[in-house]
Amino acid sequence: MSTGWREILLRPDDSIRRAIEVIDQGAKRIALVVDEEEMLLGTVTDGDIRRGILAHIPLDAPVSQVMNAQPRTLAPHCSRADVMQLLGSAQVLQAPVVDPASGRLMGLETLTDLLKRPRLENPVFLMAGGFGTRLRPLTDHCPKPMLPVGGKPMLEHILQDLIDYGFYRFYISVHYLREQVIEHFQDGSRWGVKIQYIHEDTPLGTAGCLGLLPREAVQRPIIVVNGDIMTRVNYEALLQDHDRHTPAATVCTRQYDFQVPYGVIDHEGQRITNITEKPVHHFFVSAGIYVLAPQVVHAMQAQTRIDMPDLLKTEIHAGREVRMFPVHEYWLDIGRMNDFELAQHDAPTVLRHD
């Protein structure tokens, strides 16, 4: 049985934001909602929270609004075979252990506690070829992904996060000041992984460099990550979501709220029908992280300039599914000087690597 399960307990009136903290800190990918007598009321997973975000449930709302009130559970003293039969299914990675007579929570079983995390064969493509013009003069002599955050290049933090999830096959696109990227990362042996470089002789847009990948390199869904973001996104949950639904592409998204600073008028002709004071509009924006099915990459033409939005729209217009995966974890796009300064401020609490 998993240890430390008491560290992931929540009360039903705890906020969704608190649930995110508990799930992240507890490293069990689940939180358990109990009453004062530790009777199990429900569970909250990463997927439950993301579905709540898609429904625009605020993070300050009580966790009871997103919890699963009827989770799959195990009885105490189940055999390993029984536990594996439940946890080995595609939908269940953790199961609370509950006394069937009293309903009292007794513990937690997780698949990760029973199985060592395997190495993942999915290739990862890191975009590091941009000019970073909005960060000049910092990028006059340093490519943007190599700018230091918390004492290490941004790209190294991204690489280490992905390594921690089990990925080891990496491709890095390089163009502007490429020698600095190659000299720092070399073949990846310093991190125990394989790194190969995709050279853009001329800029090919935010997706065109994928067309330079050898076809045999992409036989499984490929993770694509911009080299200028700081995030704590759960790559394992992202890949599992993509594998479960098998779309052409999965796009990580971030909720962006925009408040109109005026009273907005609804009208029919010149007759005013309603006035809403300073309404807030909710949008989802791309977070710069994608999962692409192999056939999407195989269909791309080498040396053809294309941006990622256009690539995704091609799939959508062809009738193929493009899914969104909302990111509730920490995320920062370091595109402007104030973003870079914010990254330096956040680094001590956000980054986990020495």
Side-chain angles (χ1 to χ4, degrees):
M1 190 179 300
S2 176
T3 61
W5 58 270
R6 291 188 179 277
E7 298 174 2
I8 58 172
L9 299 184
L10 292 170
R11 296 285 187 251
D13 56 351
D14 283 335
S15 69
I16 298 173
R17 191 183 308 277
R18 174 60 182 156
I20 293 172
E21 296 172 357
V22 168
I23 292 173
D24 186 49
Q25 295 170 2
K28 303 294 185 185
R29 298 181 52 203
I30 195 170
L32 309 175
V33 184
V34 297
D35 63 13
E36 293 81 0
E37 298 179 353
E38 292 195 353
M39 309 289 276
L40 182 68
L41 302 178
T43 61
V44 183
T45 66
D46 185 81
D48 295 324
I49 293 171
R50 295 183 201 278
R51 284 185 287 274
I53 292 173
L54 287 173
H56 299 297
I57 297 175
L59 295 184
D60 291 327
V63 72
S64 58
Q65 291 193 22
V66 298
M67 75 178 187
N68 175 12
Q70 295 181 318
R72 301 282 294 275
T73 62
L74 290 164
H77 312 301
C78 280
S79 68
R80 178 182 172 86
D82 289 338
V83 175
M84 287 296 295
Q85 183 177 1
L86 177 61
L87 297 184
S89 70
Q91 302 296 326
V92 180
L93 298 176
Q94 318 93 346
V97 178
V98 176
D99 184 340
S102 66
R104 184 180 175 85
L105 182 66
M106 306 292 290
L108 178 72
E109 292 281 10
T110 72
L111 189 60
T112 53
D113 287 333
L114 295 174
L115 299 174
K116 183 180 178 181
R117 174 177 282 161
R119 300 186 89 186
L120 298 174
E121 296 294 332
N122 300 74
V124 178
F125 198 100
L126 304 179
M127 302 286 193
F131 292 95
T133 53
R134 291 182 296 170
L135 281 176
R136 287 177 175 168
L138 296 179
T139 54
D140 284 344
H141 304 289
C142 179
K144 182 166 64 170
M146 296 301 294
L147 290 174
V149 174
K152 290 183 180 180
M154 286 189 281
L155 192 61
E156 184 173 341
H157 291 297
I158 296 172
L159 176 75
Q160 186 63 66
D161 277 345
L162 286 153
I163 292 171
D164 288 348
Y165 278 99
F167 298 99
Y168 74 97
R169 297 178 53 220
F170 292 89
Y171 295 86
I172 301 179
S173 67
V174 290
H175 176 68
Y176 176 65
L177 299 176
R178 67 183 69 178
E179 297 81 9
Q180 294 186 35
V181 179
I182 297 172
E183 181 180 355
H184 183 83
F185 293 101
Q186 300 184 28
D187 64 356
S189 57
R190 173 181 164 192
W191 293 270
V193 300
K194 301 176 182 178
I195 295 177
Q196 298 182 54
Y197 298 91
I198 302 300
H199 295 260
E200 291 183 77
D201 294 327
T202 57
L204 297 174
T206 56
C209 51
L210 289 164
L212 301 178
L213 282 167
R215 187 184 183 93
E216 63 274 12
V218 187
Q219 300 301 315
R220 298 174 184 238
I222 182 171
I223 309 283
V224 181
V225 184
N226 290 353
D228 57 355
I229 58 175
M230 277 178 59
T231 183
R232 301 276 5 124
V233 66
N234 187 326
Y235 289 105
E236 185 177 13
L238 167 63
L239 187 57
Q240 288 175 347
D241 184 83
H242 180 91
D243 288 344
R244 184 178 302 122
H245 298 281
T246 64
T250 298
V251 182
C252 284
T253 58
R254 185 75 171 180
Q255 182 167 307
Y256 178 80
D257 298 335
F258 172 75
Q259 184 172 30
V260 179
Y262 309 103
V264 173
I265 294 175
D266 297 331
H267 64 97
E268 295 175 359
Q270 288 185 278
R271 184 173 71 88
I272 295 175
T273 59
N274 191 32
I275 300 176
T276 306
E277 183 65 18
K278 299 180 180 179
V280 177
H281 295 280
H282 306 284
F283 304 94
F284 286 102
V285 299
S286 172
I289 304 170
Y290 314 88
V291 185
L292 302 179
Q295 59 267 26
V296 175
V297 180
H298 294 168
M300 298 181 67
Q301 300 296 316
Q303 303 298 341
T304 300
R305 181 184 177 88
I306 185 170
D307 289 325
M308 187 63 76
D310 295 323
L311 176 64
L312 296 172
K313 285 189 287 186
T314 298
E315 296 300 312
I316 293 169
H317 294 159
R320 292 182 282 271
E321 183 182 11
V322 174
R323 286 177 56 82
M324 59 188 292
F325 183 84
V327 173
H328 61 68
E329 299 91 342
Y330 178 89
W331 177 86
L332 178 65
D333 177 8
I334 306 175
R336 299 166 298 177
M337 191 63 70
N338 60 337
D339 299 322
F340 183 70
E341 294 170 354
L342 180 59
Q344 303 297 337
H345 175 269
D346 292 348
T349 56
V350 173
L351 301 178
R352 300 175 182 168
H353 311 293
D354 295 331

